Amino acid sequence: MGMFNNKVGFKLFGFSDPTISKTTVCILGIFLIGIVACQESAVRTKLGIPPKQPEAIIEEKAKKADAFEITDAQCVLCHPKQPQTIKIYGGKHETQVGCSDCHLEHPPKGTKAVPECSMCHCEKAHYQLDQCGSCHTDTHAPLNLTLEGEISDPCLACHMQQGEELANHPSAHTEMACNECHYEHRKVLNCMECHSKHTEDMNFEFCKSCHPVHMPLVVTYSEDTPSEYCSACHGEALGLLEQNTTKHHDLSCAYCHKNKHKTVPSCYACHDKPHPDALMQKFHTCAMCHDTAHNLNRLSGQVGKWSSRKLEFKGLTIQRH
């Protein structure tokens, strides 16, 4: 108790009774603190030092706090869920940045505990979009997107190649919003959820082998593509080819119509000029006599009217097929 343990001390402060209450001690403590503060203020005034402001005091304490480096392991003590999420779904957020790389402030020191995305993401067109959080709802799982509403423009700001394909090759797919098919980010819809199969044995991989999904009418295929796949749209042509008794009967659709849909080869791609010039001048296309490549069993057009087995033309003998 110091000087309060003797009567001299009590008398010094005007007390005659050595018994003192806690309230009295508190009042005396405040009184002494005031005396010290006044003395410090008087000293600062004499030396020309301005009085300390509350902001300066706070800043001084903040500087001392900065000397203590906070680690990710310490953040986990209060925030256990976020590190688990970022470890599984974080992508580059998990591999390239730590907690304090993004969260530069923490209450009560700072109020901006959640940073703006543009602090790091600023170079690409996609990063110029507003309201990042409407799709990227969990920044600890940035690619687990919430896709709601008509959001094709934000999608195509990142997936520019697919946007160009849709625009340059119009189809029904061009008129659809991206998330009508991709209702989950990075999820590719199975074609058969909207389209009928060409044949029962077709699967998604077979569909993609001919139809690129963002330009589905640009049909390309390999030479070993089964003719049955073509017959879903070209059933009549395949039916005639199957009834054909010529060597064409043994050819697949893709053998002649190579690589790209609607490719129609010239007969001369396989056959040399089969007839004399005089006859070719009169019948300048093969189809005038032979109908189509799928139906070579009969002659057609003007020649089809002739009934003799051998046709005479300017002294030439032509054998009917």
Side-chain angles (χ1 to χ4, degrees), residues 15-231:
F15 295 100
S16 59
D17 189 344
T19 303
I20 185 169
S21 67
K22 292 182 179 179
T23 303
T24 304
V25 172
C26 290
I27 293 172
L28 289 174
I30 293 171
F31 176 72
L32 291 173
I33 291 171
I35 293 175
V36 172
C38 290
Q39 289 176 340
E40 181 184 358
S41 177
V43 171
R44 295 177 71 88
T45 302
K46 287 181 180 181
L47 297 177
I49 302 172
K52 286 186 177 181
Q53 299 299 319
E55 294 82 358
I57 296 172
I58 293 172
E59 183 65 26
E60 183 177 327
K61 290 182 178 179
K63 288 180 179 179
K64 291 179 180 178
D66 285 340
F68 178 72
E69 183 178 353
I70 298 176
T71 65
D72 290 353
Q74 291 166 329
C75 298
V76 173
L77 297 177
C78 292
H79 305 281
K81 180 182 177 181
Q82 290 80 357
Q84 292 175 4
T85 302
I86 207 169
K87 185 173 182 62
I88 301 172
Y89 303 110
K92 291 181 180 179
H93 282 193
E94 191 272 332
T95 58
Q96 296 185 4
V97 295
C99 302
S100 57
D101 290 324
C102 290
H103 303 287
L104 303 180
E105 297 182 351
H106 193 291
K109 176 186 174 183
T111 59
K112 297 180 180 179
V114 179
E116 295 289 337
C117 300
S118 57
M119 184 177 77
C120 296
H121 304 284
C122 57
E123 296 178 357
K124 298 179 180 178
H126 185 74
Y127 300 152
Q128 308 304 317
L129 299 171
D130 296 328
Q131 299 179 339
C132 304
S134 62
C135 291
H136 302 276
T137 50
D138 186 347
T139 53
H140 300 99
L143 297 181
N144 289 2
L145 307 187
T146 300
L147 306 179
E148 296 179 351
E150 216 297 357
I151 56 170
S152 292
D153 288 342
C155 294
L156 298 179
C158 202
H159 302 282
M160 291 178 285
Q161 177 184 338
Q162 289 78 2
E164 291 174 1
E165 291 174 352
L166 287 165
N168 295 333
H169 304 280
S171 69
H173 287 188
T174 307
E175 306 302 320
M176 299 173 67
C178 297
N179 53 321
E180 286 189 57
C181 291
H182 307 285
Y183 47 82
E184 292 181 19
H185 188 233
R186 292 181 169 177
K187 181 178 179 63
V188 179
L189 191 68
N190 190 314
C191 299
M192 271 70 78
E193 292 189 36
C194 296
H195 302 281
S196 300
K197 296 182 180 182
H198 286 217
T199 62
E200 283 303 315
D201 64 335
M202 287 193 73
N203 58 29
F204 181 44
E205 294 304 317
F206 277 125
C207 294
K208 291 195 301 180
S209 68
C210 293
H211 299 279
V213 292
H214 297 103
M215 42 184 186
L217 300 183
V218 181
V219 183
T220 57
Y221 41 80
S222 61
E223 195 171 302
D224 61 354
T225 300
S227 295
E228 288 76 14
Y229 291 177
C230 306
S231 68

Side-chain angles (χ1 to χ4, degrees), residues 239-251:
L240 290 172
L241 190 63
E242 289 176 341
Q243 296 172 25
N244 200 319
T245 59
T246 70
K247 292 180 180 179
H248 283 198
H249 170 85
D250 299 322
L251 302 178

